């Protein structure tokens, strides 16, 4: 598959570290030095995930030069759906993409990369020609805004990438690895609350509902700086690629110190490590396509560029993909 278009959308409201320090006991200096984050976007009550995801999707369609009816598949990576039964069909409806099947995929901050790889398999099998892969999250709705150890980290956003069948020579997915370790699930959860209510007779019902994000930050940090270089290194070796062949490192944006540690491992100079953490914080499944869209539109990422990408987060889950950006106008498979 070729990567031929991208788009993004973020809420208009931005909250700076100084503003946040009016609510919780923190400071701009602490947040910047520990994470690299300066501000984050936060969706208001009238800005559902569907609208943000649709905005990113429409921008990617326009960039690729496609009509909504051209789409065969829409994958929405999210952990914060508007509807637990699935939000991708709502996006499909808003876009008017009547020929596409649409469904959600949940893998927290690895979600976009996992969805991109999944779309690649449908395309490789011949089942799908054109797909839109969206990463969108609104974790602002799921953090405890009184917990300074988590609320400073997350923000809201959406990004999308248009992918289509192409000849082998123009492929944008040159290799990938995906991993999970549920034994370490407790490090980072957005789990159901235990709310037991009498039902009838002697039966008790567990009422649905979710507790705020709970995170063991140090464990997640250690996991990321150990596993991300390992999985990227394995992928480079398997594809016969050396780190200096990469034009960019395109990593999940969780913490600048994690980006720096991974870059150091591959001796990548900081100017080749894409980062927009300062403006957006960790937008979960959205970070990779949001970052890619910014770097494509400002001309840093150019057609033919090779990107080493890695997503990691709750699950625990992590993975890597070797990507080549094509951009609009790439000849589709004959
Ligand atoms: N402001 C000021 N002080 C704070 C804050 C804050 N916002 N948060 C924590 N502190 C304090 C702590 O209470 C602690 O104080 P103490 O020493 O008196 O007990 C001190 O700062 C140090 O706390 P640590 O947790 O050791 O801080 P650390 O340097 O580990 O940084 C951080 C914390 C930024 C969360 C880091 O561990 C991290 O980035 N972890 C990875 C998080 C991550 O990437 N999560 C998302 C994964 S993606 C997904 O799937 C959603």
């Amino acid at each position: 598959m070729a990567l031929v278009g991208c788009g993004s959308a973020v809420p208009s409201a931005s909250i700076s570290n100084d503003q946040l320090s009016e609510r919780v006991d923190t400071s701009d200096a602490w947040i910047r030095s520990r994470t690299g984050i300066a501000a984050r976007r936060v969706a208001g009550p009238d800005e559902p995930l569907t609208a943000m995801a649709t905005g990113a999707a429409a921008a990617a369609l326009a960039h690729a030069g496609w009509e909504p009816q051209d789409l065969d598949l829409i994958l929405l990576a999210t952990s914060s759906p508007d509807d637990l039964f699935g939000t991708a069909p709502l996006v499909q409806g808003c876009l008017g993409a009547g020929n596409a099947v649409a469904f959600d995929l949940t893998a927290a901050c690895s979600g976009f990369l996992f969805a991109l790889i999944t779309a690649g398999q449908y395309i490789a099998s011949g089942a799908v020609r054109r797909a839109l892969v969206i990463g969108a999250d609104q974790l602002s709705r799921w953090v405890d805004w009184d917990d300074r150890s988590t609320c400073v980290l997350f923000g809201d956003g959406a990004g999308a990438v248009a992918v289509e069948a192409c000849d082998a020579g123009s492929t944008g997915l040159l290799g990938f690895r995906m991993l999970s370790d549920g034994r370490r699930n407790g490090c980072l959860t957005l789990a159901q609350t235990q709310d037991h209510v009498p039902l009838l007779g002697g039966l008790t019902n567990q009422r649905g509902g979710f507790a705020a994000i709970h995170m063991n930050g140090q464990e997640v940090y250690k996991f990321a700086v150990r596993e991300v270089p390992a999985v990227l290194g394995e992928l480079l070796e398997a594809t016969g690629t050396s780190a200096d062949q990469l034009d960019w490192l395109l990593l999940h944006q969780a913490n600048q110190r994690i980006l720096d540690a991974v870059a150091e491992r591959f001796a990548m100079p900081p100017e080749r490590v894409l980062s927009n953490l300062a403006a957006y914080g960790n937008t979960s499944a959205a970070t990779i396509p949001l970052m890619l869209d910014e770097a494509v539109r400002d001309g840093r990422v150019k057609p033919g560029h090779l990107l080493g990408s890695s997503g990691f987060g709750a699950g625990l889950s992590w993975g890597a993909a070797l990507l080549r950006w094509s951009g609009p106008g790439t000849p589709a498979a004959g």
Side-chain angles (χ1 to χ4, degrees), residues 41-127:
R41 301 297 180 102
V42 175
D46 57 348
E47 295 179 292
L49 187 92
T50 303
M52 218 171 53
T54 303
L61 280 180
H63 191 216
W66 296 353
E67 297 299 326
Q69 300 87 329
D70 296 338
L71 287 171
D72 303 316
L73 171 70
I74 298 172
L75 285 182
L76 172 61
T78 188
S79 306
S80 44
D82 288 336
D83 184 333
L84 278 180
F85 284 155
T87 301
L90 293 169
V91 175
Q92 180 223 18
C94 291
L95 288 173
N99 297 320
V101 62
F103 58 92
D104 292 7
L105 187 153
T106 300
C109 299
S110 311
F112 175 79
L113 210 65
F114 284 15
L116 187 69
I117 293 163
T118 303
Q121 308 318 299
Y122 282 100
I123 289 175
S125 76

Side-chain angles (χ1 to χ4, degrees), residues 113 117 173-177 228-241 266 307-310 319-323:
L113 210 65
I117 293 163
L173 181 60
L174 295 113
F176 64 87
R177 297 259 302 145
V228 175
V231 73
L232 258 177
E234 286 162 20
L235 179 62
L236 292 179
E237 197 180 330
T239 55
T241 311
F266 294 104
L307 301 106
S309 188
S310 178
L322 186 60
L323 305 174

Side-chain angles (χ1 to χ4, degrees), residues 59-327:
L61 280 180
H63 191 216
W66 296 353
E67 297 299 326
Q69 300 87 329
D70 296 338
L71 287 171
D72 303 316
L73 171 70
I74 298 172
L75 285 182
L76 172 61
T78 188
S79 306
S80 44
D82 288 336
D83 184 333
L84 278 180
F85 284 155
T87 301
L90 293 169
V91 175
Q92 180 223 18
C94 291
L95 288 173
N99 297 320
V101 62
F103 58 92
D104 292 7
L105 187 153
T106 300
C109 299
S110 311
F112 175 79
L113 210 65
F114 284 15
L116 187 69
I117 293 163
T118 303
Q121 308 318 299
Y122 282 100
I123 289 175
S125 76
V128 160
R129 276 187 67 80
R130 287 184 162 175
L132 205 51
V133 183
I134 309 166
D137 265 312
Q138 293 183 328
L139 293 189
S140 69
R141 297 185 177 189
W142 296 102
V143 289
D144 175 353
W145 284 97
D146 295 317
D147 174 6
R148 68 178 182 172
S149 68
T150 52
C151 76
V152 303
L153 302 174
F154 298 104
D156 302 336
V161 173
V163 291
E164 77 177 323
C166 67
D167 294 328
S170 348
T171 189
L173 181 60
L174 295 113
F176 64 87
R177 297 259 302 145
M178 298 159 77
L179 295 125
S180 309
D181 182 0
R183 291 168 303 181
R184 290 186 274 172
N185 175 267
C187 292
L188 182 50
T189 56
L190 205 179
Q192 286 221 32
T193 42
Q194 291 300 310
D195 185 7
H196 298 176
V197 288
L199 184 59
L200 53 87
L203 295 175
T204 302
N205 181 230
Q206 154 75 35
R207 196 176 0 223
F210 291 85
I213 291 171
H214 173 79
M215 183 177 73
N216 181 333
Q218 289 188 6
E219 282 304 313
V220 176
Y221 185 87
K222 280 189 272 179
F223 146 74
V225 297
R226 186 173 52 238
E227 303 293 4
V228 175
V231 73
L232 258 177
E234 286 162 20
L235 179 62
L236 292 179
E237 197 180 330
T239 55
T241 311
S242 66
D244 58 15
Q245 288 176 276
L246 298 175
D247 294 292
W248 302 102
L249 269 185
L250 173 60
L251 306 178
H252 168 51
Q253 310 277 302
N255 185 320
Q256 188 61 43
R257 291 187 297 151
I258 296 174
L259 301 190
D260 294 344
V262 179
E264 194 180 316
R265 157 72 178 75
F266 294 104
M268 286 286 279
E271 60 275 14
R272 279 166 50 205
V273 183
L274 295 169
S275 173
N276 62 5
L277 262 166
Y280 301 114
N282 179 349
T283 56
S284 192
T287 65
I288 290 176
L290 185 60
M291 182 69 253
L292 178 67
D293 185 48
E294 184 180 313
V296 165
R297 286 175 194 267
D298 68 18
R300 275 177 290 173
V301 172
K302 298 186 189 340
H305 274 186
L306 197 59
L307 301 106
S309 188
S310 178
F312 54 91
L316 296 178
S317 62
W318 66 104
L322 186 60
L323 305 174
R324 192 182 297 282
W325 172 252
S326 290

